[in-house]
Amino acid sequence: PHWPGLVKMSSAEAGRFFCTAGRGLEPFLAREVRARLGATEVDCVSGKVFFRAAAGPGELRKLRSGERLFLLLKKHSPLPVSGNKGKMLHEIKSLVIEEPKYWLDIISVWRKLRGHEGKTDDVSQENTLALKRKSEEETNIASKRQKTEQVRAIVSEECQVEAGERCVAPERMSGQECWIENKTSSEFPSKGSGENPSANEKLSFSFRVSCRCSGAIAKILTSQEIGRAVGIALVKQCGWRADLRDPDLEIFVHLNDIHSVVGIPLFRLPLANREYIKTAGLRSTVAWAMASLAEISAGALVLDPMCGLGTILLEAAKEWPEACYWGADISDSQLEGADGNIRTAGLMDKIELLKASVKALPLPSESFDSVISDIPFGKKFKITNDAQLLPDILQEMERVLRVGGTIVLLLSQDLRKRMDSLTKCAGSGSPEATADGDSEAAAAKALSVDGNSSSLVLGVGESFLSSRHFGSLVPDGVYAVSLGKTDAFIHKYRKVCAAGN
Ligand SMILES: C[S@@+](CC[C@H](N)C(=O)[O-])C[C@H]1O[C@@H](n2cnc3c(N)ncnc32)[C@H](O)[C@@H]1O
């Protein structure tokens, strides 16, 4: 896809980062860091993408398919697991604690990147959040020392980042933990040691350790035990002060069967929290990923015929502002929400809304370059009981799409099956065995590699293709993504000839 504002910088000044991603979005994020940041050494694992990039906070903040971004301190193979807790804790402490010079360098990079954050546009969003926390902070403030920077990382937010994993932060430890003692090491002078006041001021950090632990190591040690051990070691080594509620610095330790990772979050809020979205609908990262598949170019006309609150349109219009967008929905309240979102985002001149049913769109045939839609499913939208709706939806989408255009749909597992059975009933006679197993395998492949879309064409699409209703639509990729509690599938099609041929 075309990436506006593509940045390339010298690899000599590049820093190492990792960004968490929702399940299935890792390949999108890997592609995005390469295209947007000119990243190198891109390594995609389940739930994370590691990379090297010479990018400032402004560029990093623009990442659209990631959740939380970290400066990478350490990436190591999984730690050996034994029954000896003491030995294991020692190994973990050695992993995190390096000589002071190493930490000085890392903190200096972190401070440089953080120093710019106040100028970025996430400030207003953080202010909103700060208001919610105001009363909590007021009770706290008397005991606070003066800080060189104000960092408020919220652990509960971080917990949402990776589905299926539990984040246990020191904040949740019972009582005041023993590692809240303030020792000063000679190598790492703390404030007031009298050597170099400005340097000392800079090093007088408060910190907390957020630890996530899964797999074999979690059977031996709890996240609390690891967090506490690392915390004590950092107090001793660096002379920092532990502050579980409002630390300057958060140190993130993630240990599992794939790797051992230590990092520092760069932004207070997840990247996925968009300051321009007033009322959230579909996950913004998934909406952006869908739009990124639609091949939107300057001057293109893009339609979401079931737009709801308009998340897909917002994500697309922010990223590809040279195109024109149309959203339709049958519900007045959804259209009102979409209108509010479009106004908040300042995209009134880019996105048009109309009230219409996807089954009978008042739009000319072959007029759109792309159709992108989050087809309703589940209890919230009860229309899927009407199996007839699925071919009706597709028929209209196919009609309004120009030849060569793309359709990108978000479907539930159930909806995929219904689609398959519908296309079979329609008399395709295709023996492709719907290949749910095959599609799962290929979808799983999509999770583990930085695949490109054309290599991910799956069997399930073939059953679709062979239907007599939708012969003009060629499948062009299936991507399994997580919506938190449920899994979903992004299906992409290209219209290769006029409908009915
Ligand atoms: C899953 S929601 C879309 C959510 C949207 N992506 C968002 O971010 O808010 C599906 C939408 O389809 C709309 N819908 C249901 N039946 C429809 C129909 N026949 N024609 C047009 N829209 C319809 C619902 O009102 C709902 O807003």
Side-chain angles (χ1 to χ4, degrees), residues 125-139 151-154 157 245-246 268-269:
Q125 196 185 4
E126 297 197 357
N127 284 345
T128 313
L129 210 76
L131 279 176
K132 288 185 196 157
R133 291 195 300 264
K134 198 165 181 290
S135 58
E136 186 185 318
E137 284 173 14
E138 274 169 358
T139 57
V151 180
R152 295 186 202 95
I154 297 174
E157 280 181 353
R245 296 192 68 86
D246 188 15
R268 296 171 209 182
L269 295 176

mmCIF file with all atom_site columns, all heavy atoms in Angstrom, residues 125-139 151-154 157 245-246 268-269:
data_model
loop_
_atom_site.group_PDB
_atom_site.id
_atom_site.type_symbol
_atom_site.label_atom_id
_atom_site.label_alt_id
_atom_site.label_comp_id
_atom_site.label_asym_id
_atom_site.label_entity_id
_atom_site.label_seq_id
_atom_site.pdbx_PDB_ins_code
_atom_site.Cartn_x
_atom_site.Cartn_y
_atom_site.Cartn_z
_atom_site.occupancy
_atom_site.B_iso_or_equiv
_atom_site.pdbx_formal_charge
_atom_site.auth_seq_id
_atom_site.auth_comp_id
_atom_site.auth_asym_id
_atom_site.auth_atom_id
_atom_site.pdbx_PDB_model_num
ATOM 1   N N   . GLN A 1 125 ? -5.618  13.697 25.195 1.00 0.00 ? 125 GLN A N   1
ATOM 2   C CA  . GLN A 1 125 ? -6.217  12.437 25.617 1.00 0.00 ? 125 GLN A CA  1
ATOM 3   C C   . GLN A 1 125 ? -5.744  12.078 27.026 1.00 0.00 ? 125 GLN A C   1
ATOM 4   O O   . GLN A 1 125 ? -6.511  11.645 27.866 1.00 0.00 ? 125 GLN A O   1
ATOM 5   C CB  . GLN A 1 125 ? -5.789  11.355 24.640 1.00 0.00 ? 125 GLN A CB  1
ATOM 6   C CG  . GLN A 1 125 ? -6.627  10.123 24.730 1.00 0.00 ? 125 GLN A CG  1
ATOM 7   C CD  . GLN A 1 125 ? -6.065  9.050  23.816 1.00 0.00 ? 125 GLN A CD  1
ATOM 8   O OE1 . GLN A 1 125 ? -5.026  9.217  23.200 1.00 0.00 ? 125 GLN A OE1 1
ATOM 9   N NE2 . GLN A 1 125 ? -6.740  7.940  23.755 1.00 0.00 ? 125 GLN A NE2 1
ATOM 10  N N   . GLU A 1 126 ? -4.469  12.321 27.253 1.00 0.00 ? 126 GLU A N   1
ATOM 11  C CA  . GLU A 1 126 ? -3.938  11.990 28.564 1.00 0.00 ? 126 GLU A CA  1
ATOM 12  C C   . GLU A 1 126 ? -4.508  12.917 29.624 1.00 0.00 ? 126 GLU A C   1
ATOM 13  O O   . GLU A 1 126 ? -4.723  12.523 30.759 1.00 0.00 ? 126 GLU A O   1
ATOM 14  C CB  . GLU A 1 126 ? -2.422  12.041 28.519 1.00 0.00 ? 126 GLU A CB  1
ATOM 15  C CG  . GLU A 1 126 ? -1.888  10.993 27.551 1.00 0.00 ? 126 GLU A CG  1
ATOM 16  C CD  . GLU A 1 126 ? -0.432  10.701 27.734 1.00 0.00 ? 126 GLU A CD  1
ATOM 17  O OE1 . GLU A 1 126 ? 0.198   11.343 28.567 1.00 0.00 ? 126 GLU A OE1 1
ATOM 18  O OE2 . GLU A 1 126 ? 0.058   9.812  27.028 1.00 0.00 ? 126 GLU A OE2 1
ATOM 19  N N   . ASN A 1 127 ? -4.780  14.159 29.213 1.00 0.00 ? 127 ASN A N   1
ATOM 20  C CA  . ASN A 1 127 ? -5.384  15.085 30.163 1.00 0.00 ? 127 ASN A CA  1
ATOM 21  C C   . ASN A 1 127 ? -6.762  14.594 30.590 1.00 0.00 ? 127 ASN A C   1
ATOM 22  O O   . ASN A 1 127 ? -7.142  14.697 31.753 1.00 0.00 ? 127 ASN A O   1
ATOM 23  C CB  . ASN A 1 127 ? -5.507  16.477 29.547 1.00 0.00 ? 127 ASN A CB  1
ATOM 24  C CG  . ASN A 1 127 ? -4.164  17.164 29.513 1.00 0.00 ? 127 ASN A CG  1
ATOM 25  O OD1 . ASN A 1 127 ? -3.233  16.723 30.175 1.00 0.00 ? 127 ASN A OD1 1
ATOM 26  N ND2 . ASN A 1 127 ? -4.053  18.221 28.732 1.00 0.00 ? 127 ASN A ND2 1
ATOM 27  N N   . THR A 1 128 ? -7.512  14.066 29.636 1.00 0.00 ? 128 THR A N   1
ATOM 28  C CA  . THR A 1 128 ? -8.842  13.557 29.949 1.00 0.00 ? 128 THR A CA  1
ATOM 29  C C   . THR A 1 128 ? -8.723  12.452 30.992 1.00 0.00 ? 128 THR A C   1
ATOM 30  O O   . THR A 1 128 ? -9.465  12.403 31.969 1.00 0.00 ? 128 THR A O   1
ATOM 31  C CB  . THR A 1 128 ? -9.489  12.952 28.678 1.00 0.00 ? 128 THR A CB  1
ATOM 32  O OG1 . THR A 1 128 ? -9.290  13.869 27.631 1.00 0.00 ? 128 THR A OG1 1
ATOM 33  C CG2 . THR A 1 128 ? -10.952 12.668 28.880 1.00 0.00 ? 128 THR A CG2 1
ATOM 34  N N   . LEU A 1 129 ? -7.768  11.593 30.737 1.00 0.00 ? 129 LEU A N   1
ATOM 35  C CA  . LEU A 1 129 ? -7.573  10.476 31.655 1.00 0.00 ? 129 LEU A CA  1
ATOM 36  C C   . LEU A 1 129 ? -7.116  10.992 33.019 1.00 0.00 ? 129 LEU A C   1
ATOM 37  O O   . LEU A 1 129 ? -7.527  10.509 34.066 1.00 0.00 ? 129 LEU A O   1
ATOM 38  C CB  . LEU A 1 129 ? -6.525  9.531  31.075 1.00 0.00 ? 129 LEU A CB  1
ATOM 39  C CG  . LEU A 1 129 ? -6.712  8.106  31.468 1.00 0.00 ? 129 LEU A CG  1
ATOM 40  C CD1 . LEU A 1 129 ? -7.868  7.520  30.666 1.00 0.00 ? 129 LEU A CD1 1
ATOM 41  C CD2 . LEU A 1 129 ? -5.451  7.324  31.183 1.00 0.00 ? 129 LEU A CD2 1
ATOM 42  N N   . ALA A 1 130 ? -6.282  12.015 32.964 1.00 0.00 ? 130 ALA A N   1
ATOM 43  C CA  . ALA A 1 130 ? -5.766  12.579 34.212 1.00 0.00 ? 130 ALA A CA  1
ATOM 44  C C   . ALA A 1 130 ? -6.904  13.109 35.072 1.00 0.00 ? 130 ALA A C   1
ATOM 45  O O   . ALA A 1 130 ? -6.870  12.986 36.295 1.00 0.00 ? 130 ALA A O   1
ATOM 46  C CB  . ALA A 1 130 ? -4.774  13.689 33.905 1.00 0.00 ? 130 ALA A CB  1
ATOM 47  N N   . LEU A 1 131 ? -7.924  13.665 34.421 1.00 0.00 ? 131 LEU A N   1
ATOM 48  C CA  . LEU A 1 131 ? -9.065  14.179 35.179 1.00 0.00 ? 131 LEU A CA  1
ATOM 49  C C   . LEU A 1 131 ? -9.740  13.063 35.963 1.00 0.00 ? 131 LEU A C   1
ATOM 50  O O   . LEU A 1 131 ? -10.093 13.213 37.123 1.00 0.00 ? 131 LEU A O   1
ATOM 51  C CB  . LEU A 1 131 ? -10.090 14.803 34.220 1.00 0.00 ? 131 LEU A CB  1
ATOM 52  C CG  . LEU A 1 131 ? -9.789  16.225 33.772 1.00 0.00 ? 131 LEU A CG  1
ATOM 53  C CD1 . LEU A 1 131 ? -10.830 16.674 32.756 1.00 0.00 ? 131 LEU A CD1 1
ATOM 54  C CD2 . LEU A 1 131 ? -9.777  17.154 34.976 1.00 0.00 ? 131 LEU A CD2 1
ATOM 55  N N   . LYS A 1 132 ? -9.887  11.919 35.300 1.00 0.00 ? 132 LYS A N   1
ATOM 56  C CA  . LYS A 1 132 ? -10.527 10.777 35.953 1.00 0.00 ? 132 LYS A CA  1
ATOM 57  C C   . LYS A 1 132 ? -9.728  10.342 37.175 1.00 0.00 ? 132 LYS A C   1
ATOM 58  O O   . LYS A 1 132 ? -10.252 9.827  38.137 1.00 0.00 ? 132 LYS A O   1
ATOM 59  C CB  . LYS A 1 132 ? -10.627 9.603  34.975 1.00 0.00 ? 132 LYS A CB  1
ATOM 60  C CG  . LYS A 1 132 ? -11.653 9.823  33.900 1.00 0.00 ? 132 LYS A CG  1
ATOM 61  C CD  . LYS A 1 132 ? -11.754 8.570  33.061 1.00 0.00 ? 132 LYS A CD  1
ATOM 62  C CE  . LYS A 1 132 ? -12.465 8.872  31.765 1.00 0.00 ? 132 LYS A CE  1
ATOM 63  N NZ  . LYS A 1 132 ? -12.146 7.941  30.718 1.00 0.00 ? 132 LYS A NZ  1
ATOM 64  N N   . ARG A 1 133 ? -8.427  10.542 37.084 1.00 0.00 ? 133 ARG A N   1
ATOM 65  C CA  . ARG A 1 133 ? -7.594  10.083 38.190 1.00 0.00 ? 133 ARG A CA  1
ATOM 66  C C   . ARG A 1 133 ? -7.393  11.149 39.256 1.00 0.00 ? 133 ARG A C   1
ATOM 67  O O   . ARG A 1 133 ? -6.718  10.922 40.241 1.00 0.00 ? 133 ARG A O   1
ATOM 68  C CB  . ARG A 1 133 ? -6.223  9.683  37.639 1.00 0.00 ? 133 ARG A CB  1
ATOM 69  C CG  . ARG A 1 133 ? -6.260  8.443  36.801 1.00 0.00 ? 133 ARG A CG  1
ATOM 70  C CD  . ARG A 1 133 ? -4.849  7.925  36.621 1.00 0.00 ? 133 ARG A CD  1
ATOM 71  N NE  . ARG A 1 133 ? -3.992  8.888  35.961 1.00 0.00 ? 133 ARG A NE  1
ATOM 72  C CZ  . ARG A 1 133 ? -3.749  8.892  34.660 1.00 0.00 ? 133 ARG A CZ  1
ATOM 73  N NH1 . ARG A 1 133 ? -4.311  7.994  33.898 1.00 0.00 ? 133 ARG A NH1 1
ATOM 74  N NH2 . ARG A 1 133 ? -2.957  9.773  34.119 1.00 0.00 ? 133 ARG A NH2 1
ATOM 75  N N   . LYS A 1 134 ? -7.989  12.330 39.012 1.00 0.00 ? 134 LYS A N   1
ATOM 76  C CA  . LYS A 1 134 ? -7.660  13.481 39.848 1.00 0.00 ? 134 LYS A CA  1
ATOM 77  C C   . LYS A 1 134 ? -7.851  13.206 41.332 1.00 0.00 ? 134 LYS A C   1
ATOM 78  O O   . LYS A 1 134 ? -6.968  13.455 42.139 1.00 0.00 ? 134 LYS A O   1
ATOM 79  C CB  . LYS A 1 134 ? -8.507  14.679 39.418 1.00 0.00 ? 134 LYS A CB  1
ATOM 80  C CG  . LYS A 1 134 ? -7.971  15.995 39.885 1.00 0.00 ? 134 LYS A CG  1
ATOM 81  C CD  . LYS A 1 134 ? -8.647  17.111 39.121 1.00 0.00 ? 134 LYS A CD  1
ATOM 82  C CE  . LYS A 1 134 ? -8.131  18.465 39.525 1.00 0.00 ? 134 LYS A CE  1
ATOM 83  N NZ  . LYS A 1 134 ? -8.506  18.875 40.826 1.00 0.00 ? 134 LYS A NZ  1
ATOM 84  N N   . SER A 1 135 ? -9.002  12.657 41.684 1.00 0.00 ? 135 SER A N   1
ATOM 85  C CA  . SER A 1 135 ? -9.272  12.494 43.104 1.00 0.00 ? 135 SER A CA  1
ATOM 86  C C   . SER A 1 135 ? -8.259  11.543 43.734 1.00 0.00 ? 135 SER A C   1
ATOM 87  O O   . SER A 1 135 ? -7.756  11.783 44.827 1.00 0.00 ? 135 SER A O   1
ATOM 88  C CB  . SER A 1 135 ? -10.685 11.973 43.313 1.00 0.00 ? 135 SER A CB  1
ATOM 89  O OG  . SER A 1 135 ? -10.830 10.764 42.635 1.00 0.00 ? 135 SER A OG  1
ATOM 90  N N   . GLU A 1 136 ? -7.919  10.516 42.978 1.00 0.00 ? 136 GLU A N   1
ATOM 91  C CA  . GLU A 1 136 ? -6.930  9.555  43.489 1.00 0.00 ? 136 GLU A CA  1
ATOM 92  C C   . GLU A 1 136 ? -5.599  10.249 43.722 1.00 0.00 ? 136 GLU A C   1
ATOM 93  O O   . GLU A 1 136 ? -4.946  10.088 44.747 1.00 0.00 ? 136 GLU A O   1
ATOM 94  C CB  . GLU A 1 136 ? -6.760  8.448  42.451 1.00 0.00 ? 136 GLU A CB  1
ATOM 95  C CG  . GLU A 1 136 ? -5.884  7.318  42.909 1.00 0.00 ? 136 GLU A CG  1
ATOM 96  C CD  . GLU A 1 136 ? -5.665  6.336  41.767 1.00 0.00 ? 136 GLU A CD  1
ATOM 97  O OE1 . GLU A 1 136 ? -6.649  6.052  41.056 1.00 0.00 ? 136 GLU A OE1 1
ATOM 98  O OE2 . GLU A 1 136 ? -4.535  5.874  41.617 1.00 0.00 ? 136 GLU A OE2 1
ATOM 99  N N   . GLU A 1 137 ? -5.244  11.107 42.783 1.00 0.00 ? 137 GLU A N   1
ATOM 100 C CA  . GLU A 1 137 ? -3.962  11.787 42.895 1.00 0.00 ? 137 GLU A CA  1
ATOM 101 C C   . GLU A 1 137 ? -3.949  12.778 44.053 1.00 0.00 ? 137 GLU A C   1
ATOM 102 O O   . GLU A 1 137 ? -2.938  12.963 44.710 1.00 0.00 ? 137 GLU A O   1
ATOM 103 C CB  . GLU A 1 137 ? -3.654  12.525 41.601 1.00 0.00 ? 137 GLU A CB  1
ATOM 104 C CG  . GLU A 1 137 ? -3.203  11.574 40.520 1.00 0.00 ? 137 GLU A CG  1
ATOM 105 C CD  . GLU A 1 137 ? -3.051  12.273 39.185 1.00 0.00 ? 137 GLU A CD  1
ATOM 106 O OE1 . GLU A 1 137 ? -3.046  13.507 39.162 1.00 0.00 ? 137 GLU A OE1 1
ATOM 107 O OE2 . GLU A 1 137 ? -2.970  11.556 38.207 1.00 0.00 ? 137 GLU A OE2 1
ATOM 108 N N   . GLU A 1 138 ? -5.088  13.404 44.284 1.00 0.00 ? 138 GLU A N   1
ATOM 109 C CA  . GLU A 1 138 ? -5.131  14.411 45.343 1.00 0.00 ? 138 GLU A CA  1
ATOM 110 C C   . GLU A 1 138 ? -4.822  13.798 46.707 1.00 0.00 ? 138 GLU A C   1
ATOM 111 O O   . GLU A 1 138 ? -4.131  14.389 47.518 1.00 0.00 ? 138 GLU A O   1
ATOM 112 C CB  . GLU A 1 138 ? -6.502  15.089 45.354 1.00 0.00 ? 138 GLU A CB  1
ATOM 113 C CG  . GLU A 1 138 ? -6.530  16.246 44.366 1.00 0.00 ? 138 GLU A CG  1
ATOM 114 C CD  . GLU A 1 138 ? -7.928  16.785 44.144 1.00 0.00 ? 138 GLU A CD  1
ATOM 115 O OE1 . GLU A 1 138 ? -8.885  16.235 44.726 1.00 0.00 ? 138 GLU A OE1 1
ATOM 116 O OE2 . GLU A 1 138 ? -8.039  17.742 43.385 1.00 0.00 ? 138 GLU A OE2 1
ATOM 117 N N   . THR A 1 139 ? -5.314  12.603 46.918 1.00 0.00 ? 139 THR A N   1
ATOM 118 C CA  . THR A 1 139 ? -5.036  11.966 48.201 1.00 0.00 ? 139 THR A CA  1
ATOM 119 C C   . THR A 1 139 ? -3.571  11.555 48.299 1.00 0.00 ? 139 THR A C   1
ATOM 120 O O   . THR A 1 139 ? -3.012  11.405 49.366 1.00 0.00 ? 139 THR A O   1
ATOM 121 C CB  . THR A 1 139 ? -5.904  10.709 48.391 1.00 0.00 ? 139 THR A CB  1
ATOM 122 O OG1 . THR A 1 139 ? -5.649  9.845  47.292 1.00 0.00 ? 139 THR A OG1 1
ATOM 123 C CG2 . THR A 1 139 ? -7.379  11.025 48.463 1.00 0.00 ? 139 THR A CG2 1
ATOM 124 N N   . VAL A 1 151 ? 5.233   10.659 34.908 1.00 0.00 ? 151 VAL A N   1
ATOM 125 C CA  . VAL A 1 151 ? 4.863   9.500  34.105 1.00 0.00 ? 151 VAL A CA  1
ATOM 126 C C   . VAL A 1 151 ? 3.786   8.743  34.857 1.00 0.00 ? 151 VAL A C   1
ATOM 127 O O   . VAL A 1 151 ? 3.983   8.366  35.998 1.00 0.00 ? 151 VAL A O   1
ATOM 128 C CB  . VAL A 1 151 ? 6.056   8.555  33.868 1.00 0.00 ? 151 VAL A CB  1
ATOM 129 C CG1 . VAL A 1 151 ? 5.629   7.362  33.038 1.00 0.00 ? 151 VAL A CG1 1
ATOM 130 C CG2 . VAL A 1 151 ? 7.167   9.307  33.205 1.00 0.00 ? 151 VAL A CG2 1
ATOM 131 N N   . ARG A 1 152 ? 2.666   8.567  34.224 1.00 0.00 ? 152 ARG A N   1
ATOM 132 C CA  . ARG A 1 152 ? 1.607   7.814  34.890 1.00 0.00 ? 152 ARG A CA  1
ATOM 133 C C   . ARG A 1 152 ? 1.215   6.626  34.038 1.00 0.00 ? 152 ARG A C   1
ATOM 134 O O   . ARG A 1 152 ? 0.387   6.741  33.156 1.00 0.00 ? 152 ARG A O   1
ATOM 135 C CB  . ARG A 1 152 ? 0.384   8.694  35.123 1.00 0.00 ? 152 ARG A CB  1
ATOM 136 C CG  . ARG A 1 152 ? 0.639   9.825  36.075 1.00 0.00 ? 152 ARG A CG  1
ATOM 137 C CD  . ARG A 1 152 ? -0.659  10.549 36.351 1.00 0.00 ? 152 ARG A CD  1
ATOM 138 N NE  . ARG A 1 152 ? -0.366  11.881 36.809 1.00 0.00 ? 152 ARG A NE  1
ATOM 139 C CZ  . ARG A 1 152 ? -0.338  12.927 36.020 1.00 0.00 ? 152 ARG A CZ  1
ATOM 140 N NH1 . ARG A 1 152 ? -0.610  12.805 34.745 1.00 0.00 ? 152 ARG A NH1 1
ATOM 141 N NH2 . ARG A 1 152 ? -0.060  14.111 36.493 1.00 0.00 ? 152 ARG A NH2 1
ATOM 142 N N   . ALA A 1 153 ? 1.863   5.533  34.262 1.00 0.00 ? 153 ALA A N   1
ATOM 143 C CA  . ALA A 1 153 ? 1.490   4.326  33.518 1.00 0.00 ? 153 ALA A CA  1
ATOM 144 C C   . ALA A 1 153 ? 0.390   3.628  34.297 1.00 0.00 ? 153 ALA A C   1
ATOM 145 O O   . ALA A 1 153 ? 0.445   3.548  35.518 1.00 0.00 ? 153 ALA A O   1
ATOM 146 C CB  . ALA A 1 153 ? 2.680   3.418  33.385 1.00 0.00 ? 153 ALA A CB  1
ATOM 147 N N   . ILE A 1 154 ? -0.616  3.182  33.596 1.00 0.00 ? 154 ILE A N   1
ATOM 148 C CA  . ILE A 1 154 ? -1.732  2.533  34.278 1.00 0.00 ? 154 ILE A CA  1
ATOM 149 C C   . ILE A 1 154 ? -1.681  1.054  33.994 1.00 0.00 ? 154 ILE A C   1
ATOM 150 O O   . ILE A 1 154 ? -1.835  0.614  32.865 1.00 0.00 ? 154 ILE A O   1
ATOM 151 C CB  . ILE A 1 154 ? -3.056  3.128  33.808 1.00 0.00 ? 154 ILE A CB  1
ATOM 152 C CG1 . ILE A 1 154 ? -3.081  4.596  34.209 1.00 0.00 ? 154 ILE A CG1 1
ATOM 153 C CG2 . ILE A 1 154 ? -4.233  2.402  34.420 1.00 0.00 ? 154 ILE A CG2 1
ATOM 154 C CD1 . ILE A 1 154 ? -4.252  5.317  33.696 1.00 0.00 ? 154 ILE A CD1 1
ATOM 155 N N   . GLU A 1 157 ? -4.513  -0.852 32.139 1.00 0.00 ? 157 GLU A N   1
ATOM 156 C CA  . GLU A 1 157 ? -4.574  -0.698 30.680 1.00 0.00 ? 157 GLU A CA  1
ATOM 157 C C   . GLU A 1 157 ? -3.623  -1.673 30.016 1.00 0.00 ? 157 GLU A C   1
ATOM 158 O O   . GLU A 1 157 ? -3.944  -2.279 29.018 1.00 0.00 ? 157 GLU A O   1
ATOM 159 C CB  . GLU A 1 157 ? -4.187  0.710  30.283 1.00 0.00 ? 157 GLU A CB  1
ATOM 160 C CG  . GLU A 1 157 ? -5.315  1.672  30.452 1.00 0.00 ? 157 GLU A CG  1
ATOM 161 C CD  . GLU A 1 157 ? -4.915  3.060  30.024 1.00 0.00 ? 157 GLU A CD  1
ATOM 162 O OE1 . GLU A 1 157 ? -3.734  3.291  29.733 1.00 0.00 ? 157 GLU A OE1 1
ATOM 163 O OE2 . GLU A 1 157 ? -5.801  3.892  30.012 1.00 0.00 ? 157 GLU A OE2 1
ATOM 164 N N   . ARG A 1 245 ? 2.607   3.444  42.762 1.00 0.00 ? 245 ARG A N   1
ATOM 165 C CA  . ARG A 1 245 ? 1.409   4.127  42.268 1.00 0.00 ? 245 ARG A CA  1
ATOM 166 C C   . ARG A 1 245 ? 1.690   5.089  41.128 1.00 0.00 ? 245 ARG A C   1
ATOM 167 O O   . ARG A 1 245 ? 0.934   5.165  40.176 1.00 0.00 ? 245 ARG A O   1
ATOM 168 C CB  . ARG A 1 245 ? 0.737   4.890  43.416 1.00 0.00 ? 245 ARG A CB  1
ATOM 169 C CG  . ARG A 1 245 ? 0.222   3.992  44.527 1.00 0.00 ? 245 ARG A CG  1
ATOM 170 C CD  . ARG A 1 245 ? -0.673  4.786  45.453 1.00 0.00 ? 245 ARG A CD  1
ATOM 171 N NE  . ARG A 1 245 ? -1.903  5.172  44.783 1.00 0.00 ? 245 ARG A NE  1
ATOM 172 C CZ  . ARG A 1 245 ? -2.981  4.400  44.706 1.00 0.00 ? 245 ARG A CZ  1
ATOM 173 N NH1 . ARG A 1 245 ? -2.975  3.195  45.245 1.00 0.00 ? 245 ARG A NH1 1
ATOM 174 N NH2 . ARG A 1 245 ? -4.055  4.820  44.083 1.00 0.00 ? 245 ARG A NH2 1
ATOM 175 N N   . ASP A 1 246 ? 2.756   5.837  41.235 1.00 0.00 ? 246 ASP A N   1
ATOM 176 C CA  . ASP A 1 246 ? 2.976   6.891  40.250 1.00 0.00 ? 246 ASP A CA  1
ATOM 177 C C   . ASP A 1 246 ? 4.466   7.023  39.938 1.00 0.00 ? 246 ASP A C   1
ATOM 178 O O   . ASP A 1 246 ? 5.100   8.024  40.254 1.00 0.00 ? 246 ASP A O   1
ATOM 179 C CB  . ASP A 1 246 ? 2.416   8.208  40.815 1.00 0.00 ? 246 ASP A CB  1
ATOM 180 C CG  . ASP A 1 246 ? 2.426   9.297  39.770 1.00 0.00 ? 246 ASP A CG  1
ATOM 181 O OD1 . ASP A 1 246 ? 2.580   8.983  38.570 1.00 0.00 ? 246 ASP A OD1 1
ATOM 182 O OD2 . ASP A 1 246 ? 2.306   10.475 40.147 1.00 0.00 ? 246 ASP A OD2 1
ATOM 183 N N   . ARG A 1 268 ? 2.436   6.790  27.706 1.00 0.00 ? 268 ARG A N   1
ATOM 184 C CA  . ARG A 1 268 ? 1.583   6.419  28.839 1.00 0.00 ? 268 ARG A CA  1
ATOM 185 C C   . ARG A 1 268 ? 0.388   5.599  28.391 1.00 0.00 ? 268 ARG A C   1
ATOM 186 O O   . ARG A 1 268 ? -0.031  4.671  29.051 1.00 0.00 ? 268 ARG A O   1
ATOM 187 C CB  . ARG A 1 268 ? 1.069   7.672  29.524 1.00 0.00 ? 268 ARG A CB  1
ATOM 188 C CG  . ARG A 1 268 ? 2.165   8.482  30.125 1.00 0.00 ? 268 ARG A CG  1
ATOM 189 C CD  . ARG A 1 268 ? 1.609   9.791  30.588 1.00 0.00 ? 268 ARG A CD  1
ATOM 190 N NE  . ARG A 1 268 ? 2.633   10.818 30.525 1.00 0.00 ? 268 ARG A NE  1
ATOM 191 C CZ  . ARG A 1 268 ? 2.468   12.058 30.906 1.00 0.00 ? 268 ARG A CZ  1
ATOM 192 N NH1 . ARG A 1 268 ? 1.299   12.440 31.375 1.00 0.00 ? 268 ARG A NH1 1
ATOM 193 N NH2 . ARG A 1 268 ? 3.442   12.921 30.837 1.00 0.00 ? 268 ARG A NH2 1
ATOM 194 N N   . LEU A 1 269 ? -0.171  5.979  27.254 1.00 0.00 ? 269 LEU A N   1
ATOM 195 C CA  . LEU A 1 269 ? -1.380  5.292  26.788 1.00 0.00 ? 269 LEU A CA  1
ATOM 196 C C   . LEU A 1 269 ? -1.042  4.365  25.636 1.00 0.00 ? 269 LEU A C   1
ATOM 197 O O   . LEU A 1 269 ? -0.109  4.620  24.878 1.00 0.00 ? 269 LEU A O   1
ATOM 198 C CB  . LEU A 1 269 ? -2.404  6.321  26.309 1.00 0.00 ? 269 LEU A CB  1
ATOM 199 C CG  . LEU A 1 269 ? -2.954  7.252  27.375 1.00 0.00 ? 269 LEU A CG  1
ATOM 200 C CD1 . LEU A 1 269 ? -3.872  8.286  26.743 1.00 0.00 ? 269 LEU A CD1 1
ATOM 201 C CD2 . LEU A 1 269 ? -3.698  6.460  28.434 1.00 0.00 ? 269 LEU A CD2 1
#
